[in-house]
Amino acid sequence: MSSYLCAIGTANPPHRIPQLQIADFMAGALQLDEGGTRKLRALYRVSGIGQRYTVLPDYGRANGRFEFFPNTPDLEPFPSVGQRMAEYRRHALPLSVQAAQDCLRQVPETTAASITHLITVSCTGMYAPGLDIELVAALGLPGHVQRTCVNFMGCYAAVNALKLADAFCRATPAARVLVVCTELCTLHFQKSTEEDHLVSNALFGDGSAAVLVQGRPRAAGPSLALTAFHCGLEPDGHADMAWHINNFGFEMTLSSYVPRMIQQGIGQLTARLLADLPVQLADIRAFAIHPGGRKILESIEQALGLTAHDNRFAYQVLRDYGNMSSATVLFVLRELLRTLAPADAGAPVLSFAFGPGLTLEAMLLTVAWGSEPSARKHILEHHAQAAEILPA
């Protein structure tokens, strides 16, 4: 028995702001002098990000025209957690609905009324009754849909949501699981010149991604069989990537050591993922890696012997959207899906995501094309060989 990722829908807020324009906002907000502004702009130039999306238009405006931040030179009084969560409640639902509708439009044979499970994912806001309940009404899902929330796990949370979806489908073959990852990272700008905050302010954007997972591939076009998962934990990185709630928003710790630690651990993570599968790293030509930052992507390439072309989908998403926390790896998978052809049926896809802990998540997916018998036979043969770790 297999489960299949059948469609990915995405959505972003209306405010698309060039990276260097955001740098100008940050320099003003931090009241940097000429030298500090020059260094900050250099950091933004080498980030690999061309633009980001945000629910807050302020990042593209000059002081005196802000809607969310105070129109004072130092942005005081700086917005509280409560004010930021009010913005999250206002924007998270419509963005999530857009992504979910985009997803379901791609699989006309699956209606909102047929969804059996809903999984919502977010680390940038929470409330109760929450986004999951609001989505039931907004999308017209059945009132008895089984709801699960994955909260505050960071950038790797989408992988955990897919693990849950896979388990639901294996337990109930007729299950149809809608996963919605929505992150409004830009609500949590920290007015600080500490290196961690400067880096996180330079990376994160807002977005939502929705995925349909079910026990059979879509009737036509590409699907991705969820073949295997593996989680690694690097305790030495416990303090180097963290996410804490403070008085003025959620504070990200992202030290300069993170790329090095990922580079040291990614080889072993990959080996353990593939150990009991009839797939070797040399067999894999398709990759969907969470673009936590340009240096992280380059470190993984060095560790696994990949090229920038192998990582092209991750670089594309980083350039066009920045890091959107949990939604980002799904944006990468969406770009990969768009390039697939019938000849790719049976091809393995390797995906990674990273987050607090330091947690390293890996998953192997396998391309299926439509529900044609030949494509299903190839996938089933692949899973049969891996039966020791993937019982039916």
Side-chain angles (χ1 to χ4, degrees):
M1 177 62 200
S2 302
S3 65
Y4 296 84
L5 189 164
C6 295
I8 303 175
T10 61
N12 296 94
H15 307 296
R16 183 182 65 184
I17 305 178
Q19 179 77 329
L20 290 182
Q21 192 172 347
I22 300 174
D24 291 339
F25 166 89
M26 295 294 177
L30 298 173
Q31 298 183 300
L32 299 180
D33 59 19
E34 184 179 345
T37 299
R38 186 167 56 250
K39 291 178 182 177
L40 188 72
R41 287 179 63 85
L43 171 66
Y44 278 59
R45 275 196 300 271
V46 301
S47 66
I49 299 170
Q51 62 189 21
R52 285 181 278 165
Y53 290 81
T54 174
V55 296
L56 301 178
D58 295 1
Y59 292 109
R61 296 180 176 179
N63 198 359
R65 297 190 295 121
F66 297 152
E67 294 182 8
F68 177 68
F69 295 106
N71 283 289
T72 58
D74 58 357
L75 302 187
E76 294 293 343
F78 204 45
S80 66
V81 170
Q83 290 172 294
R84 296 169 198 247
M85 290 301 93
E87 291 297 302
Y88 181 90
R89 288 194 66 175
R90 185 157 73 96
H91 294 289
L93 178 62
L95 196 64
S96 301
V97 169
Q98 288 180 47
Q101 290 176 339
D102 182 35
C103 174
L104 293 175
R105 271 195 297 267
Q106 299 170 40
V107 236
E109 66 268 25
T110 300
T111 64
S114 70
I115 297 297
T116 60
H117 298 71
L118 172 66
I119 303 172
T120 57
V121 181
S122 189
C123 70
T124 51
M126 58 189 75
Y127 55 96
L131 181 61
D132 57 325
I133 291 175
E134 293 181 346
L135 277 171
V136 171
L139 294 173
L141 304 182
H144 58 266
V145 68
Q146 297 188 46
R147 295 176 285 110
T148 305
C149 302
V150 178
N151 295 126
F152 222 68
M153 298 192 80
C155 297
Y156 65 88
V159 179
N160 282 277
L162 291 175
K163 289 179 186 178
L164 286 171
D166 179 59
F168 293 152
C169 291
R170 290 179 185 278
T172 308
R176 290 180 172 178
V177 186
L178 181 65
V179 178
V180 182
C181 298
T182 299
E183 304 288 9
L184 306 184
C185 305
T186 65
L187 293 178
H188 300 290
F189 158 56
Q190 295 299 305
K191 194 183 62 172
S192 166
T193 56
E194 293 182 14
E195 182 180 1
D196 289 349
H197 293 152
L198 292 176
V199 172
S200 59
N201 289 340
L203 289 177
F204 288 94
D206 299 347
S208 179
V211 173
L212 175 69
V213 178
Q214 57 187 25
R216 61 178 183 273
R218 61 190 295 180
S223 302
L224 295 171
L226 301 177
T227 304
F229 299 90
H230 186 77
C231 177
L233 193 60
E234 295 291 331
D236 289 345
H238 184 81
D240 291 282
M241 187 183 288
W243 191 226
H244 299 287
I245 299 176
N246 214 320
N247 293 334
F248 300 103
F250 299 177
E251 294 189 12
M252 166 64 74
T253 298
L254 187 64
S255 84
S256 59
Y257 296 104
V258 169
R260 186 186 311 167
M261 285 184 286
I262 291 175
Q263 183 176 14
Q264 292 170 349
I266 200 73
Q268 186 178 57
L269 180 78
T270 305
R272 288 177 176 171
L273 172 73
L274 302 179
D276 297 313
L277 294 169
V279 178
Q280 298 180 2
L281 180 60
D283 301 324
I284 301 173
R285 294 290 180 269
F287 299 87
I289 300 175
H290 167 67
R294 182 180 58 82
K295 288 185 178 179
I296 288 176
L297 294 177
E298 292 173 349
S299 296
I300 293 171
E301 290 164 11
Q302 293 170 12
L304 299 184
L306 307 183
T307 66
H309 180 74
D310 293 328
N311 240 351
R312 61 193 180 280
F313 304 117
Y315 282 116
Q316 179 180 339
V317 169
L318 182 66
R319 180 195 68 211
D320 294 342
Y321 304 96
N323 182 344
M324 298 167 287
S325 193
S326 69
T328 320
V329 72
L330 300 180
F331 273 68
V332 178
L333 281 167
R334 179 197 62 172
E335 296 304 323
L336 185 150
L337 269 172
R338 288 174 170 175
T339 69
L340 296 177
D344 294 311
V349 176
L350 183 59
S351 182
F352 300 114
F354 321 98
L358 176 71
T359 301
L360 297 86
E361 289 279 0
M363 58 181 174
L364 187 74
L365 308 99
T366 310
V367 178
W369 194 271
S371 54
E372 293 84 355
S374 60
R376 283 185 60 83
K377 180 174 180 293
H378 194 123
I379 296 294
L380 291 171
E381 287 175 350
H382 181 96
H383 285 302
Q385 295 175 44
E388 288 186 8
I389 66 167
L390 290 173

